[in-house]
Structures are given as C-alpha cells and as structure tokens.
Amino acid sequence: MKEKLSPFQASILVYLIQSGVTLFTLPRLVAEAFGTNGWIGLILISLIVNINLVLIWLVYKVSKGKSFFEIISIFPKWITFPVNLFIAVVWMLLGVFVMVKFSMILKILFYNNVSLFYFFSMGYILSYMLLKRDLYQIAKSTVVLFYFTVWTVFLLAFHLPEFSFNRLTPFIFKGDTDMVKGGLSIFTALLGYELSILFIHMIERKQLKSLIAGNTITSMIYLGVTFVSFGFFSFEQLLREWYPVVTLLGYISFPVLERVESFTFSVFGLKVLLTTVMYLWGTKELLQYQFKRVKSNFLLIGILIISFFVSFIPKVIKDVEQWLNYITYAATAIAFLLPILLLLIVVITKKMNRKSANE
C-alpha cells in the first residue's frame, strides 16, 4: 500500500507548485489589470481558485474517493487518449516554459556570461532525480524546500521604513485598467493547484482544507508582496518597473551579502524547479495510463529529452512570454473544465448503475 500525504505535506505541495516566476512581475501586472489599490483584486482571484478547488474536491467526494484514472476507466483507451495527450502536452509545455523564463531572467539580470544550456541541463538533471521517486517522496522533499525558501518572505520587513500609505491613494481600481484580460493573467500566477486532481485521493484526510490552505499560503505571500510594492513605489513607478520585486530586493543590503537580489532570486529557483517537476509528473502520470506497457523510467527519460529540446525553441524572453500566454490560457480552461467533466461522468455513471440495479 502506497503511503499517503499528510494534510501539511499536501498544503506545502500545492503552495510550491503555485509559486512561479510570475511573482517578480506580479505587482506590475496587478497595477495594469486593476489600477490603484489593485492588490485588493488578488483577494477576488484567490476566491475564484478556492471555488475551483471545491469543484475538484466534489469530484473526489461524489466518486467516494476514486482517483482520476479510476473515474475515466469506464471509457476505452482510444477515447481517453486524445484528451489525456492534450492535457499532458499543455502541462509539459507549461512546466518547461516556466523553467525557461526563469533561466532567461536569471541570465539577463545576473549571469550574462553563462549559457542557457547549463541552466537547462542542471534543471532537468535535478528534475529527473525527483521524478524517479514516487509522489510521497517528492512531497517530503517539498517540505524541506519550503523551510529552505520561506524565509525570503520576511525580507519584506526591510521595506517597511520606506512604506507610505499615501502612495496607496484613496482610489480603488482607478486608472487605465483591463480587468478581464489582466485578471486572467493574474489568475494564471496561481495555476498549479489543478494538478491536485491527480493526487487528491492520496491525501489521508482533510482533503479540501489541505488544498485551500496551500492556495491561502500562496495568496497571502502574493498579497503581501503586492501590497508592499504599492506602498513602496508610486503607482506610475509600478507601471514602469518590469520586475518590481527584483527592484525591491535590490534595496536590501547586508554587511556579509552584497547582492541580496541575486542570492534570493537564485534560491527562488528551487520553487520554480518544483513547479516544473510537478507539471512533468502530471504529464508522466497521464501518459503512463495510456502506455502501461512502457516502463516508467523510459517514459520519464523520453519526456525529459523532449522537454530539453523544446526549451531551446524560444530564442528571446518575449517569445517565451507569448508561448506562456497561450499555454496558461489552455491550462486555465483545463483547470475549470476537467473537474466539471469528471463530475458529470461520476453522476451519470451512478445513475446508470442505479438504473441497471433496479432492472
């Protein structure tokens, strides 16, 4: 019997999957989308994510603890193949381009002379080392990563002396806003929770609370970073800063550490690694279901090789962001439509079974 995840492990897993490279541009995105005091809009986005998590939990509850693969097993493989393949490709590309974007930003800002080849190679080697283990072992690693990276949140305290409530302004959601498209872009910053549809049955208890707790941790950190940014920069400055969080970190100095932003950004790479690992894990699980005769390790190596070569397709960061826009829209559609579809399948299957029993 496989070991199950504790609620704490599940919460930390969700948090680390969600914590992506978008954090470094998030305050600007929020300002562009919602205008003045746009940080309030993050609360609304977080609530929408919680609603989606309730849908995922309902699938688990109504199906009486069945896994994703047990639910779709009523269909022949030729029906599930195109759907699973589409989701697998979207998740693989999302995981890959999150790593690519982080690597490119790291190179541009701090390591101009280092080839992207080395960043990608190191990322995929570390990914392989995690992915060859089962989810329980990966979750145990995430707890270690959580304690190793969570201290970076407290760096926000260094900006409090320069924080001014006057910069927040008394106006809410004023300015040249784009709430629909901008709000969708911000929503994608919280993506990653949808992978829980594959492992919610592996959580030993308090499944819904665990998932919502994970999203709450991410949302609170995003809210804190964005709130401080709105009080540290003027609204016009925030719109001009491409990576406002990196600029924030640049104002911090320690006697023993000259470039705090460089060190912190590099540490953040561990979170990005976990996001990539879990999306590739989801890809592997979907493809393993379709190709049961292929050994898990061969399948994993195949996914990593394809991912490695895909990483070199975009040449500049603008291309990466374009790719990510389309991929995250597809991932958002999957996040909402998949649990609804599964819920319908479970309800219809139950009705058919009840009807057969009565006959």
Side-chain angles (χ1 to χ4, degrees):
M1 183 179 176
K2 289 184 178 180
E3 292 182 273
K4 291 204 166 189
L5 307 177
S6 70
F8 178 71
Q9 286 175 323
S11 299
I12 298 304
L13 187 59
V14 170
Y15 155 65
L16 284 173
I17 300 170
Q18 286 182 305
S19 296
V21 72
T22 310
L23 173 64
F24 293 96
T25 56
L26 187 63
R28 174 177 57 81
L29 295 176
V30 169
E32 289 172 349
F34 298 119
T36 53
N37 282 306
W39 55 273
I40 298 171
L42 272 173
I43 300 171
L44 302 176
I45 300 293
S46 180
L47 290 174
I48 294 171
V49 172
N50 284 341
I51 292 169
N52 203 178
L53 286 171
V54 170
L55 277 176
I56 292 171
W57 174 78
L58 279 174
V59 173
Y60 168 80
K61 203 70 178 173
V62 175
S63 67
K64 295 183 178 178
K66 285 185 178 180
S67 70
F68 169 81
F69 299 114
E70 287 174 326
I71 293 169
I72 65 171
S73 63
I74 62 168
F75 298 106
K77 292 286 181 70
W78 63 269
I79 291 179
T80 59
F81 178 75
V83 178
N84 282 346
L85 183 63
F86 173 73
I87 297 171
V89 169
V90 170
W91 282 355
M92 184 193 74
L93 291 176
L94 185 52
V96 166
F97 286 118
V98 164
M99 181 187 286
V100 170
K101 184 176 180 180
F102 176 81
S103 300
M104 283 188 172
I105 295 173
L106 193 63
K107 177 180 169 63
I108 292 166
L109 295 180
F110 307 115
Y111 304 107
N112 292 316
N113 297 323
V114 180
S115 170
L116 286 173
F117 176 84
Y118 296 111
F119 288 132
F120 296 159
S121 298
M122 185 168 61
Y124 287 115
I125 289 169
L126 291 172
S127 295
Y128 174 73
M129 291 171 69
L130 283 169
L131 284 166
K132 67 180 182 178
R133 302 175 180 276
D134 60 25
L135 184 64
Y136 180 74
Q137 296 298 325
I138 295 173
K140 282 169 65 177
S141 303
T142 62
V143 175
V144 176
L145 290 179
F146 171 74
Y147 287 121
F148 191 71
T149 59
V150 72
W151 62 269
T152 56
V153 177
F154 299 104
L155 292 175
L156 292 173
F158 285 89
H159 301 94
L160 294 180
E162 300 298 325
F163 183 92
S164 173
F165 282 97
N166 291 332
R167 295 192 187 103
L168 295 176
T169 77
F171 306 106
I172 297 175
F173 299 162
K174 299 294 182 182
D176 189 14
T177 60
D178 187 0
M179 291 194 182
V180 177
K181 188 178 178 181
L184 185 58
S185 296
I186 295 161
F187 180 86
T188 60
L190 288 167
L191 279 175
Y193 68 88
E194 72 277 13
L195 288 168
S196 63
I197 204 159
L198 296 184
F199 63 78
I200 187 170
H201 66 287
M202 300 180 191
I203 305 171
E204 60 183 5
R205 63 183 187 281
K206 298 180 181 178
Q207 290 81 9
L208 181 59
K209 287 182 180 178
S210 302
L211 300 181
I212 289 179
N215 177 56
T216 302
I217 295 169
T218 311
S219 301
M220 292 299 291
I221 290 172
Y222 280 5
L223 187 63
V225 169
T226 308
F227 180 74
V228 168
S229 298
F230 269 79
F232 186 84
F233 301 104
S234 68
F235 183 68
E236 291 72 23
Q237 268 184 307
L238 202 53
L239 292 173
R240 290 195 301 269
E241 286 286 342
W242 199 250
Y243 300 112
V245 177
V246 176
T247 306
L248 271 180
L249 293 171
Y251 280 90
I252 302 171
S253 61
F254 293 113
V256 293
L257 190 61
E258 187 178 345
R259 297 291 300 273
V260 175
E261 71 274 28
S262 173
F263 177 72
T264 307
F265 199 88
S266 300
V267 169
F268 193 85
L270 296 172
K271 293 184 179 181
V272 173
L273 174 68
L274 218 292
T275 301
T276 298
V277 163
M278 284 307 298
Y279 272 114
L280 294 183
W281 173 83
T283 301
K284 181 175 77 76
E285 291 294 306
L286 291 172
L287 295 181
Q288 190 71 71
Y289 175 79
Q290 295 296 149
F291 305 106
K292 288 182 179 176
R293 293 183 180 180
V294 180
K295 287 186 178 180
S296 179
N297 206 44
F298 290 158
L299 191 61
L300 173 58
I301 291 170
I303 291 168
L304 289 173
I305 290 171
I306 293 168
S307 300
F308 183 77
F309 285 109
V310 168
S311 301
F312 291 96
I313 293 176
K315 302 301 179 184
V316 293
I317 198 164
K318 188 177 179 182
D319 292 342
V320 179
E321 288 174 347
Q322 255 185 339
W323 274 80
L324 275 172
N325 274 340
Y326 297 126
I327 295 163
T328 51
Y329 291 159
T332 301
I334 290 167
F336 276 98
L337 295 178
L338 189 57
I340 293 172
L341 181 63
L342 290 175
L343 202 54
L344 288 172
I345 291 169
V346 171
V347 171
I348 292 169
T349 304
K350 278 192 169 185
K351 283 186 177 180
M352 288 173 65
N353 290 340
R354 199 176 295 130
K355 190 177 178 181
S356 299
N358 290 336
E359 290 175 356

